[in-house]
Amino acid sequence: MKAELILENGVRFKGKAFGYIKETVGEVVFSTGMTGYEELLTDPSFAGQIVTMTYPLIGNYGINLDDMESDGPKLKGFVVREKCDYPNNWRCEMDIDAYLKQNKIMGIEGVDTRALTKILRDHGTMKGIITTRGKDLSENQIALKFESLNNKNVIRECTIKEKYEIAGSGKHIAYLDLGTKTGLIRDFKSRGCRLTVLPAFTSAEEILAVNPDAVFISNGPGDPKDVPEIIETVKQLIGKKPLLGVCMGNQIINLALGGNTTKMKFGHHGGNHPVKDLKTGRVYITSQNHEYVVCDLPEDVEASFININDNTIEGIRHKKLPIFSVQFHPEASPGPLDAAFLFDRFLEVIERGGDNA
């Protein structure tokens, strides 16, 4: 079935529909990952977005349900140059078309993803519609569909509903789930941590009531400024418990400390982003997925990592309090394992309970 991707600036890309056939509206972004599409599809940080894959062939090793990073896809749509209809891998359980059908996600293939990526790089992230009835939509109808897109509640849609416990003999971490990837939980578990996983809008009083050794704020979708309640909660925890964060957690912590965040032109999405540790000078290749970055650091906060490509801040640490967070994904799901040592650094911060340098 023929389909079109219609961008907010009026540019249209023709292609062929696959997955679950429906009309969908989302924020169009691109990811540079060559592999890892299973983890990408199930990363809650893509909630509300239509994801374009820059690598031209997607789906060649199929889908297996062991590699999912959440209970299912949260993204609005999927754009590829070519999907593989005959995947070949011993772990494969279904092809990508069947998986998107099963999870009611619209896809479009045959798109010139190179041209689309160049538009997004030049003009920035913008809204888009994937539809099978592009010729029948008037300009007014298209405008109304763009206006209907509202991503302000994506964290509420992606967080867990009830808290749960994960047993462990190590440090007890109150784990605030803003739309977490299971890879983060898996790496804490592998280090023996005991986790109390909490919904995103849990109050500071409820978090402190579980008596954790530290509080971890996870990754999640959307604009951190859309959740002032969570920022206020983290603000109330400052100085009471060590604070650790990844991705959205990094942004929330900076806002709670009095800093700021800003939206990037086209974000960082993929597994090939170089970041520099400002303490050691070493560069790591990292997995990233975010549209916003921290800026205007508070007086007692310093950058711990920067992005080599664009000099954006990739991590922060407090100069006096045990507070440490990074913008990239140390669990590398998907991506390189360069930054996995950060889980050990997190635990060192908890152990010291003071200077986290």
Side-chain angles (χ1 to χ4, degrees):
M1 183 181 295
K2 293 181 179 179
E4 279 187 314
L5 169 64
I6 305 172
L7 297 180
E8 197 173 2
N9 65 354
V11 175
R12 296 183 178 223
F13 288 89
K14 296 184 183 300
K16 181 182 177 182
F18 72 99
Y20 189 78
I21 308 302
K22 65 175 182 179
E23 198 163 81
T24 188
V25 183
E27 189 178 44
V28 185
V29 301
F30 64 89
S31 175
T32 56
M34 295 176 66
T35 60
Y37 53 82
E38 295 168 295
E39 294 90 342
L40 179 151
L41 285 167
T42 52
D43 182 350
S45 293
F46 279 120
Q49 296 180 326
I50 293 172
V51 182
T52 302
M53 303 299 294
T54 61
Y55 191 69
L57 177 62
I58 299 298
N60 55 315
Y61 51 89
I63 296 286
N64 80 83
L65 301 180
D66 289 335
D67 288 342
M68 303 296 104
E69 284 299 313
S70 68
D71 58 2
K74 305 296 189 296
L75 74 174
K76 288 291 193 72
F78 199 51
V79 182
V80 300
R81 176 64 178 175
E82 179 184 354
K83 68 171 171 52
C84 180
D85 293 321
Y86 302 99
N88 186 2
N89 186 279
W90 68 275
R91 300 173 71 216
C92 176
E93 297 178 48
M94 66 183 80
D95 63 28
I96 198 166
D97 181 47
Y99 182 70
L100 292 188
K101 279 187 172 71
Q102 185 181 90
N103 288 277
K104 299 185 177 181
I105 303 295
M106 175 74 158
I108 181 172
E109 68 167 327
V111 170
D112 185 343
T113 51
R114 182 179 178 86
L116 174 56
T117 300
K118 289 177 70 175
I119 288 174
L120 296 176
R121 284 181 60 90
D122 291 342
H123 301 284
T125 299
M126 64 185 77
K127 297 175 184 177
I129 303 168
I130 301 178
T131 180
T132 57
R133 57 191 191 99
K135 292 181 179 179
D136 299 327
L137 293 176
S138 68
E139 293 301 315
N140 185 57
Q141 287 175 312
I142 291 171
L144 288 174
K145 289 181 182 298
F146 286 138
E147 290 175 13
S148 71
L149 180 63
N150 183 351
N151 286 338
K152 291 184 179 296
N153 294 315
V154 283
I155 286 180
R156 193 175 295 277
E157 294 165 2
C158 292
T159 188
I160 56 172
K161 306 306 178 189
E162 301 287 341
K163 77 173 183 180
Y164 64 93
E165 303 272 347
I166 296 176
S169 59
K171 294 297 182 182
H172 179 202
I173 298 174
Y175 191 109
L176 202 60
D177 175 6
L178 309 189
T180 190
K181 297 166 71 178
T182 58
L184 285 167
I185 293 176
R186 185 168 58 244
D187 274 26
F188 277 118
K189 284 174 60 179
S190 71
R191 287 163 173 80
C193 295
R194 173 189 165 200
L195 303 177
T196 300
V197 186
L198 300 158
F201 295 91
T202 303
S203 69
E205 291 77 14
E206 292 174 288
I207 293 170
L208 293 172
V210 306
N211 194 28
D213 295 309
V215 179
F216 178 81
I217 301 99
S218 82
N219 69 292
D223 183 346
K225 292 179 181 177
D226 286 339
V227 285
E229 314 97 304
I230 300 176
I231 297 169
E232 181 58 32
T233 292
V234 174
K235 190 180 296 184
Q236 294 174 28
L237 296 171
I238 294 170
K240 297 178 181 177
K241 295 290 179 181
L243 298 179
L244 315 168
V246 161
C247 199
M248 174 65 77
N250 177 60
Q251 298 161 25
I252 293 287
I253 287 173
N254 192 56
L255 289 168
L257 289 167
N260 199 6
T261 57
T262 185
K263 187 169 186 178
M264 306 177 73
K265 186 175 181 180
F266 49 79
H268 292 160
H269 309 280
N272 56 353
H273 293 269
V275 301
K276 181 178 181 180
D277 186 330
L278 294 178
K279 185 178 181 180
T280 65
R282 182 170 176 177
V283 174
Y284 301 91
I285 305 301
T286 65
S287 176
Q288 301 195 20
N289 181 13
H290 58 98
E291 286 288 306
Y292 295 83
V293 288
V294 303
C295 60
D296 303 328
L297 300 184
E299 183 177 349
D300 289 329
V301 175
E302 62 184 359
S304 54
F305 293 87
I306 61 167
N307 189 289
I308 296 297
N309 289 336
D310 58 16
N311 289 316
T312 52
I313 298 171
E314 292 280 2
I316 61 173
R317 60 173 163 243
H318 200 281
K319 297 175 184 177
K320 301 175 182 178
L321 298 173
I323 301 174
F324 178 75
S325 60
V326 293
Q327 187 59 59
F328 47 94
H329 287 255
E331 90 293 341
S333 296
L337 300 174
D338 293 27
F341 71 92
L342 283 173
F343 289 98
D344 300 313
R345 188 177 292 185
F346 284 158
L347 296 179
E348 289 172 9
V349 171
I350 298 171
E351 188 67 36
R352 284 194 295 267
D355 176 26
N356 65 17

